[in-house]
Amino acid sequence: MSKLSYISPEGLRVDGRRPNEIRRINVKMNILGRADGSAYYEQGNTKIIAAVYGPREIVHNTKAMFDRAIVNCEFSVSSFSTTERKQQFKTSRGDRQTTEASNLIKQAFESTIHTHLYPRSQIDIYIQVLQSDGGLKAAAINAATLALIDAGVSMKDFVCACSTSCIDGIPVLDLNHIEERSGGPDCLLSIQPQLGGVISLNMDSKVSQDLFESVLELGTQGCQKIFDILSLEVKKYSSELLKNK
Amino acid sequence: MEKTIDNNDSQDIVVTPGQRLSKAVDYISLDGTYVHKGYIYSSVLGFQHIVKRNLQETKENKDENNNNNSSSEESNIKDERDFITVSKEKDPGVVPEIGSIVTVQVLRTNPRLASVAILCVGTKALKETFNGIIRIQDVRATEIDKVEIYKSFRPGDIVLAQIISLGDSRSYYLSTAKNELGVVFAQSVAGGTMIPISWNMMQCPITKTKEFRKVAKMDNSIETEQE
């Protein structure tokens, strides 16, 4: 065959998963001593560190809002995180992809954090990608959620994100790097798993309406699975803190 | 999913943000919780606490309500509700309050005031410094009109002070008018750590230079060492 077969006739993907399975998730919280909240997040071969500073005094006074906090996000990808070494931009602005990811995370948490509780302050979220294997933005949102919970910032709910796509007419969950290049639509969905409601929804490429709905349904199920894992890890972390007291 | 609250185990329940705790009509929402569409949810990771109202207070309310009409029953229902709160896992940050004794470092001085950074509140170190100023009229209680800032504080000094006001939107107002407040650590121009020799004088042990400072009254043991 000249074409790569993403899903085998037995219904397995290139890494052995079924279409509705997510990659293995590893979580560690409170890994950075200097940060107010931090988390290490691993989903398959994608590895991310998130750190949260604040609520703290605003550095630039012109940005201060008298009635609520502002949320800042900085998303950076290590040069060694991809198969080909990336050039690090000297300016802090970065390229278009990191700016897009920063704005996506910033907007997601502006709607979730109770910003009215912290007037005239700022909450800074820093995301560092250590290893990249697809699903970067979804993993970054999940990592930032854990870091914010570790920091004790008041939030409405978790924000759980998952990437889905459609390959050969079959909806698949949690793409890896190979599947992201298959040419199918890349749909990123983040939801509030307990309150309900969609935080953000992004999609590339074209897809028919009925297929889109099945992809969305699969994404919701994936986010719910991720929430179950994260919630378990957070409570385990909290119980361990109790024992150490 | 709605989680039933068991009062016997309230001290051991770990809740996460977004977890539904109860209906809004059953409890009054306090710190760490919020109300959304008739339900109370947790907003931070921590332990759930149910704080019961004072029984005597509740009893008095019931007695009063016996003499009133049905409109007071609503207040009776409200009064009988317990409080529900979620305490944060980590200790909350320390915030300077009026009357606190704080440790500050002098950043800048001008003839009217000294700009300082608040480093500690009592014996607790702050994660982030707060801005404060010591105005010329708050340096000491006597001879206020003769105070000169450059003879009281210099940049880099560590000062004990007391918060007297929340001040303006940018700085706390501090005072060193008491004997126990003032400079506790200073370095001379030559770089040596100076030793206090009187209430307004410090001396460098290396160069023997004397410099003016508003010195804090220290413990007797230190005074004995000077003699």
Side-chain angles (χ1 to χ4, degrees):
Chain A
M1 302 174 57
S2 62
K3 182 187 176 186
L4 174 62
S5 178
Y6 294 100
I7 302 182
S8 67
E10 292 83 14
L12 301 179
R13 296 151 77 173
V14 290
D15 51 6
R17 289 183 287 147
R18 299 200 173 275
N20 59 351
E21 285 179 348
I22 56 178
R23 292 172 288 178
R24 187 205 308 267
I25 291 179
N26 263 336
V27 166
K28 284 199 183 73
M29 291 171 76
N30 198 12
I31 56 172
L32 301 176
R34 292 182 175 272
D36 293 317
S38 57
Y40 168 80
Y41 184 85
E42 208 179 274
Q43 187 165 351
N45 281 329
T46 299
K47 299 171 183 175
I48 285 182
I49 286 184
V52 168
Y53 294 84
R56 60 181 177 181
E57 201 170 1
I58 283 190
V59 179
H60 303 291
N61 289 313
T62 53
K63 294 183 179 178
M65 294 189 182
F66 73 98
D67 58 344
R68 64 178 190 269
I70 62 173
V71 180
N72 295 322
C73 179
E74 186 172 318
F75 184 94
S76 61
V77 180
S78 306
S79 60
F80 50 82
S81 65
T82 50
T83 49
E84 293 182 5
R85 189 166 292 255
K86 274 188 179 180
Q87 178 189 2
Q88 290 291 300
F89 294 92
K90 295 181 178 178
T91 62
S92 62
R93 181 157 292 275
D95 59 1
R96 195 178 338 116
Q97 284 181 350
T98 55
T99 304
E100 181 194 356
S102 298
N103 286 329
L104 179 72
I105 297 170
K106 170 186 157 78
Q107 288 165 16
F109 288 104
E110 269 176 352
S111 59
T112 298
I113 295 173
H114 287 126
T115 51
H116 64 274
L117 295 179
Y118 315 106
R120 288 191 208 89
S121 59
Q122 69 182 24
I123 299 171
D124 299 323
I125 304 172
Y126 294 92
I127 307 287
Q128 181 81 38
V129 177
L130 302 180
Q131 187 170 322
S132 172
D133 186 40
L136 268 194
K137 294 173 189 170
I141 289 176
N142 296 332
T145 292
L146 295 175
L148 285 164
I149 291 174
D150 184 41
V153 177
S154 188
M155 300 164 65
K156 293 174 185 171
D157 200 346
F158 283 66
V159 181
C160 294
C162 193
S163 61
T164 50
S165 179
C166 174
I167 298 180
D168 299 336
I170 301 175
V172 292
L173 186 64
D174 193 16
L175 311 176
N176 59 20
H177 184 62
I178 296 177
E179 290 160 347
E180 274 186 353
R181 297 179 169 274
S182 65
D186 189 355
C187 176
L188 174 68
L189 172 72
S190 52
I191 64 169
Q192 294 181 121
Q194 295 175 103
L195 288 185
V198 173
I199 293 288
S200 68
L201 176 59
N202 298 72
M203 172 172 266
D204 304 331
S205 289
K206 300 175 182 177
V207 72
S208 60
Q209 182 71 38
D210 53 332
L211 215 45
F212 173 72
E213 288 176 3
S214 59
V215 166
L216 203 61
E217 178 63 28
L218 187 64
T220 305
Q221 295 173 14
C223 291
Q224 200 66 45
K225 290 181 185 178
I226 291 177
F227 166 71
D228 294 337
I229 296 173
L230 297 189
S231 181
L232 192 66
E233 292 287 340
V234 164
K235 290 183 176 176
K236 189 189 303 181
Y237 160 75
S238 184
S239 301
E240 286 174 359
L241 280 186
L242 179 62
K243 294 178 182 177
N244 292 335
K245 282 186 175 178
Chain B
M1 61 175 185
E2 183 175 355
K3 186 175 184 179
T4 58
I5 295 178
D6 191 354
N7 289 334
N8 296 327
D9 301 328
S10 64
Q11 291 293 329
D12 298 325
I13 299 178
V14 176
V15 293
T16 53
Q19 187 168 336
R20 187 182 290 175
L21 303 180
S22 75
K23 292 187 176 181
V25 294
D26 292 336
Y27 292 95
I28 297 176
S29 171
L30 284 188
D31 290 345
T33 61
Y34 68 98
V35 180
H36 178 72
K37 291 183 179 177
Y39 289 96
I40 297 180
Y41 297 86
S42 170
S43 62
V44 293
L45 168 72
F47 296 98
Q48 178 185 274
H49 300 287
I50 296 177
V51 183
K52 289 193 174 297
R53 281 181 168 270
N54 192 313
L55 291 180
Q56 185 176 2
E57 182 183 3
T58 306
K59 192 174 182 181
E60 290 176 356
N61 288 330
K62 286 184 177 178
D63 293 340
E64 291 176 0
N65 288 322
N66 290 333
N67 302 326
N68 292 326
N69 52 16
S70 61
S71 63
S72 64
E73 289 181 2
E74 293 180 359
S75 63
N76 184 20
I77 294 173
K78 286 185 180 179
D79 291 340
E80 282 186 349
R81 284 193 294 172
D82 294 333
F83 300 104
I84 190 166
T85 178
V86 177
S87 66
K88 294 182 174 64
E89 185 58 36
K90 294 181 177 178
D91 291 333
V94 182
V95 177
E97 295 173 354
I98 296 179
S100 305
I101 304 294
V102 295
T103 306
V104 304
Q105 183 172 32
V106 180
L107 301 176
R108 294 177 298 275
T109 59
N110 64 40
R112 293 187 305 107
L113 54 86
S115 293
V116 302
I118 300 177
L119 307 175
C120 301
V121 176
T123 56
K124 293 184 178 179
L126 295 176
K127 275 191 170 182
E128 303 270 342
T129 61
F130 289 86
N131 295 330
I133 58 174
I134 304 176
R135 296 174 297 178
I136 190 169
Q137 61 263 35
D138 297 322
V139 170
R140 65 176 185 237
T142 60
E143 293 182 327
I144 297 178
D145 52 335
K146 295 184 179 178
V147 176
E148 297 175 75
I149 286 288
Y150 68 94
K151 287 185 176 178
S152 304
F153 314 109
R154 294 200 188 176
D157 292 352
I158 305 294
V159 179
L160 275 185
Q162 185 180 31
I163 297 180
I164 55 175
S165 168
L166 296 183
D168 50 26
S169 63
R170 294 197 42 77
S171 302
Y172 288 86
Y173 284 0
L174 310 175
S175 165
T176 58
K178 296 182 178 178
N179 291 339
E180 304 82 28
L181 305 175
V183 176
V184 295
F185 173 88
Q187 289 181 332
S188 67
V189 178
T193 300
M194 294 199 289
I195 301 173
I197 55 178
S198 72
W199 67 271
N200 66 343
M201 198 81 64
M202 279 181 141
Q203 187 179 32
C204 175
I206 304 175
T207 63
K208 306 303 175 185
T209 307
K210 296 182 180 179
E211 295 185 11
F212 288 100
R213 293 287 196 285
K214 202 284 177 181
V215 182
K217 185 177 183 180
M218 305 301 286
D219 296 338
N220 293 328
S221 58
I222 298 182
E223 290 180 353
T224 307
E225 289 178 3
Q226 300 173 29
E227 296 173 359

